[in-house]
Amino acid sequence: MDELTDSGGETVQRALAAERLRSARVLGLLRFVGISIACGLNLLLPAVVLETRTLQADVRLFACYWLAAAAVFWANQRSAWIARLVGLDIAVVDMPFVFLLQWNVVAKNPGVAAPAAWSVAFYMLLIMAAAFSLQTWRILLVAGIGAALEVGLLSLAHADRAFVDGVVGVIGGVAAICAYDTRRTIHLVRSVAREQGQRERLGRYFSPEVAARVEQLGDTFAAGESREVTILFSDLRDFTALSEALTSDQVVALLNDCHARMVDTIFAFGGTLDKYMGDGIMAYFGAPVAQPDHAERAVRCALAMQEALAGLNTERVVRGEPPLRMGIGVHTGTVVVGDIGAPRRREYTAIGDPVNVASRIEQATKLHVASVLVSAETRGRVGGRIAFEAAGPLRLPGKSEPVQCYAPLPAEREAPGALAG
């Protein structure tokens, strides 16, 4: 199914964008709460535990960091565009502030490497927070900045070169793990989006039973293949004239009501909905799942569609509305079925001359007393399982020879002599 149009395409991008938006807002909240707690501890702990006074960072700088975190949190909640910058805000806000705060502490404790060494824990937390962006390059950017700043702090503290190399290795390892998890998450989102899109698509085209079978087949069903199918075209008679007396909302409501009943009937007989054509419908039987009795299914479906229309007309008459009339043409032949169209817009459809013949048989019902006409090919595939009346040879546009057609009889009208037509 062409990777659900460009490997999940817009569906995947929408899913990732929605996840990034949620993550950005969660991260903004966590950052604000965390910095608020850290700011409080930095202010109050030295007053309670005197030994920690030398580790107290500049209160004014911490206040600026808190205000920056509050601003980012506020902006994320109100602007989806700013929220999409998640990860980059860590690189330009959190990393510099953490560095300046720790630099202040290291500078007050010359020769003591511990404050600089503790900084690596903050940088690793920020790298993990950058993973909320679901973008590998942002994680690596934050990791690179963090590694450079940590090296600066350790150099100020005169840390051993081997220790510095080890810290850089740890930061790189955390970044690699986060990047790997991000790629796995994106793969999972893409898989879920593809499956969801496929289910939605199957639900539009196929009956539940056929959709379940197609889902088992996977993407292989979308490949083009030649298949004998029975095509059904339906069209409401004089709908243009009727719609002129209706508002646009009434036209849409009428079509939705009528199409819903017809599609339910098509699905009930295991048919595939190909497309809507204004007030008309194209469907076929025998693909993508093979149905040996596709011709009989199509004919019985056509009769059932007329019954469904009769039920709708009963309701319309009660409401004082004019009844609707519908013509249906059915033809059997070999067509090409599969995903057809441009890369960004494909449809599972059938193409070939039998499609044109079925459409023209439907058009012929406008000039014939029968509301359902089927070709001799379809009648031959059905055999004696349905009664028919001969409708005579009909001249169809594009056909040099007349096409013999038949009118199927509803079950209550079947008679032994009708099969002889």
Side-chain angles (χ1 to χ4, degrees):
M1 204 162 41
D2 96 79
E3 283 288 299
L4 199 64
T5 307
D6 192 27
S7 298
E10 296 179 359
T11 303
V12 173
Q13 295 306 317
R14 285 195 300 269
L16 289 175
E19 183 60 31
R20 288 190 183 106
L21 181 60
R22 287 191 294 268
S23 297
R25 289 172 174 168
V26 170
L27 178 60
L29 176 61
L30 293 177
R31 174 201 284 120
F32 179 69
V33 172
I35 294 174
S36 297
I37 294 173
C39 189
L41 291 175
N42 181 71
L43 183 64
L44 299 176
L45 191 59
V48 178
V49 183
L50 300 181
E51 292 81 359
T52 62
R53 287 183 176 179
T54 58
L55 302 178
Q56 184 181 36
D58 189 299
V59 174
R60 294 167 299 178
L61 189 58
F62 230 129
C64 291
Y65 187 17
W66 183 88
L67 289 174
V72 172
F73 172 67
W74 180 87
N76 281 347
Q77 297 300 315
R78 286 159 178 77
S79 172
W81 183 84
I82 293 178
R84 294 190 187 99
L85 300 178
V86 59
L88 295 179
D89 55 353
I90 294 174
V92 300
V93 176
D94 297 278
M95 285 288 182
F97 269 113
V98 169
F99 172 75
L100 292 174
L101 289 168
Q102 289 302 105
W103 181 279
N104 177 255
V105 174
V106 171
K108 291 192 301 184
N109 296 271
V112 180
W118 294 339
S119 301
V120 71
F122 298 118
Y123 288 129
M124 287 191 295
L125 285 174
L126 291 176
I127 292 169
M128 288 186 280
F132 279 67
S133 69
L134 296 179
Q135 290 187 318
T136 303
W137 72 271
R138 294 188 184 184
I139 298 172
L140 298 180
L141 173 64
V142 170
I145 294 174
L149 296 179
E150 179 63 16
V151 169
L153 288 173
L154 292 173
S155 298
L156 179 64
H158 304 291
D160 181 78
R161 176 61 183 274
F163 181 76
V164 174
D165 292 342
V167 167
V168 172
V170 170
I171 291 177
V174 171
I177 292 173
C178 290
Y180 174 78
D181 286 344
T182 294
R183 292 180 66 87
R184 292 296 302 170
T185 299
I186 292 174
H187 175 74
L188 177 61
V189 171
R190 181 175 288 114
S191 298
V192 171
R194 184 186 300 115
E195 291 176 3
Q196 180 180 353
Q198 185 179 34
R199 289 192 183 98
E200 291 176 354
R201 188 179 184 195
L202 295 181
R204 290 197 301 267
Y205 290 137
F206 310 124
S207 65
E209 295 78 10
V210 174
R213 175 56 180 156
V214 169
E215 194 168 5
Q216 293 177 356
L217 295 176
D219 292 341
T220 57
F221 92 95
E225 61 174 328
S226 294
R227 181 78 68 85
E228 183 182 88
V229 300
T230 299
I231 304 105
L232 180 152
F233 275 86
S234 71
D235 185 69
L236 293 178
R237 295 287 167 258
D238 303 319
F239 184 78
T240 301
L242 173 63
S243 62
E244 291 177 351
L246 304 175
T247 65
S248 57
D249 290 343
Q250 290 173 324
V251 171
V252 171
L254 173 57
L255 284 177
N256 286 343
D257 188 12
C258 185
H259 283 335
R261 298 174 189 238
M262 298 305 114
V263 171
D264 285 346
T265 304
I266 291 170
F267 285 174
F269 285 87
T272 296
L273 173 66
D274 187 283
K275 62 176 66 73
Y276 297 111
M277 299 168 294
D279 57 309
I281 292 175
M282 173 184 168
Y284 48 86
F285 299 76
V289 177
Q291 297 165 323
D293 59 343
H294 55 80
E296 181 180 357
R297 287 173 179 264
V299 176
R300 293 195 184 279
C301 177
L303 295 173
M305 289 171 67
Q306 293 292 355
E307 292 178 6
L309 183 66
L312 174 60
N313 282 335
T314 299
E315 299 174 11
R316 289 178 58 81
V317 170
V318 171
R319 297 194 296 262
E321 299 169 344
L324 302 174
R325 296 184 301 114
M326 179 172 62
I328 300 177
V330 182
H331 177 57
T332 301
T334 300
V335 299
V336 175
V337 292
D339 256 357
I340 297 171
R344 293 183 61 81
R345 175 64 175 174
R346 291 182 180 271
E347 290 185 347
Y348 187 82
T349 188
I351 58 174
D353 184 64
V355 176
N356 298 327
V357 173
S359 175
R360 289 161 186 164
I361 291 176
E362 176 272 312
Q363 294 172 13
T365 62
K366 299 176 182 179
L367 306 175
H368 200 280
V369 66
S371 59
V372 178
L373 291 175
V374 308
S375 67
E377 287 79 3
T378 299
R379 182 197 181 284
R381 298 297 189 282
V382 173
R385 294 184 294 276
I386 298 176
F388 292 91
E389 287 182 344
L394 303 178
R395 289 201 170 274
L396 305 179
K399 288 293 180 181
S400 58
E401 298 294 331
V403 175
Q404 182 65 45
C405 292
Y406 297 84
L409 299 178
E412 64 272 14
R413 290 185 56 197
E414 289 184 1
L419 298 176

